Amino acid sequence: NRPLIRVNALANATDRDEQIGTMQLFCGATMAIRNPGAHGNVSMNAAEALDQLTFLSWLARKVDRAP
């Protein structure tokens, strides 16, 4: 399968592994961060919110740097 968003050149096994891992992290972020907030009232402290924003920012940078 050809990914819609590539995070690297997919030139070798390491690139392909990074691509799969990044895709899994995006899926996990959707399931663990986005879904609970969309389907219920989620309460968190400032440190937890900052952790989530930092992680999502990292994912966004991966997309911005995509070839």
Side-chain angles (χ1 to χ4, degrees):
N1 286 348
R2 214 172 141 204
L4 296 175
I5 299 172
R6 290 185 351 216
V7 297
N8 58 47
L10 301 174
N12 54 43
T14 300
D15 282 359
R16 291 187 292 276
D17 288 346
E18 180 187 14
Q19 178 71 36
I20 292 167
T22 302
M23 290 170 24
Q24 291 172 342
L25 287 169
F26 268 96
C27 290
T30 300
M31 293 168 53
I33 296 173
R34 188 248 175 221
N35 281 352
H39 298 289
N41 187 10
V42 175
S43 174
M44 70 180 73
N45 63 38
E48 291 170 319
L50 183 58
D51 287 344
Q52 289 184 4
L53 288 171
T54 300
F55 176 63
L56 295 172
S57 176
W58 180 81
L59 287 174
R61 258 193 322 278
K62 295 285 277 185
V63 171
D64 288 343
R65 293 178 185 159

